[in-house]
Structures are given as C-alpha cells and as structure tokens.
Amino acid sequence: MTSEAVHHQLSFFAALYKVDENPEPGMWLLYLTIVVLSVIVYRLGFARKLPVLKSAVIYVLLLLGCTLLTFFAIFLPVGESLCLAAVVLGVYKIRLYQHKKTEKKERFPM
C-alpha cells in the first residue's frame, strides 16, 4: 500500500496530525485529543459527585481505555464520534438548564 493510499484511509484527526508522516508526535496528539474529548463526554453525560479516590480510579481507567481508542482512531472515526457526542450532550445540558430555570420561575413567580 502506498503512502498516499494510507493517507486517504486515515480518520480526520489522524490525517490532521499526520500520523502516517510523523507517527510519534501524531499519535501523542491523537491520544491527547481522544482523552480530552472522552473527559468532556464523561463529564457532560455520566459524571456524578464521587469521593476523590473513586474519581481518580475512574479517570485512570479512562486514560487506559483511551489508549485502545487511540489505535482505533487511526482509521475509524472515534474522535469525530466523541465530538458529536460532546455537542449532543452539551445541547442537552443547556436545554435541561433552561427547562429547570423556566420551571422554577413558574413555581415561584416574583
């Protein structure tokens, strides 16, 4: 397979970071992108108030899981899916906040 053929099969973030040309810095940037997006999605959709030690365990396991996701993200749209999930969960949180705010105003008018 030629270098150009591989480049056309890369996902958006892998192509953006030029993983095929500069593998070491490209993979680190891809890993950091996956970690940041995973933390955002976790915080927006699944995070609860937990003790510090339990939160630390969850984030360590998240970092380990992101290692595997990074290898998948070279050719599959993992980063793009995490971006989409972050946007959807962000819109959901905003709408939920607005709904609770209007509901509170209806219950307790000033």
Side-chain angles (χ1 to χ4, degrees):
M1 211 179 243
T2 65
S3 176
E4 191 169 316
V6 170
H7 185 74
H8 286 294
Q9 292 181 349
L10 295 176
S11 68
F12 172 75
F13 285 111
L16 179 69
Y17 300 139
K18 298 182 181 180
V19 172
D20 56 335
E21 295 172 16
N22 301 317
E24 190 168 342
M27 285 299 287
W28 280 110
L29 289 171
L30 186 60
Y31 176 72
L32 288 175
T33 302
I34 299 297
V35 166
V36 168
L37 290 172
S38 295
V39 167
I40 291 170
V41 168
Y42 170 71
R43 298 283 310 237
L44 285 174
F46 307 103
R48 302 277 185 259
K49 296 280 184 183
L50 295 174
V52 175
L53 188 59
K54 286 182 181 180
S55 291
V57 169
I58 287 177
Y59 283 109
V60 167
L61 292 174
L62 186 76
L63 290 174
L64 291 174
C66 287
T67 305
L68 182 64
L69 285 178
T70 301
F71 290 109
F72 288 141
I74 297 170
F75 295 110
L76 299 174
V78 174
E80 295 83 344
S81 300
L82 287 169
C83 284
L84 183 62
V87 168
V88 168
L89 289 169
V91 168
Y92 170 74
K93 287 288 188 176
I94 291 170
R95 298 280 297 167
L96 184 64
Y97 173 75
Q98 289 174 345
H99 177 72
K100 286 182 178 181
K101 189 176 169 182
T102 57
E103 191 175 90
K104 185 178 177 182
K105 281 185 181 180
E106 289 174 359
R107 284 188 179 174
F108 305 107
M110 290 187 176

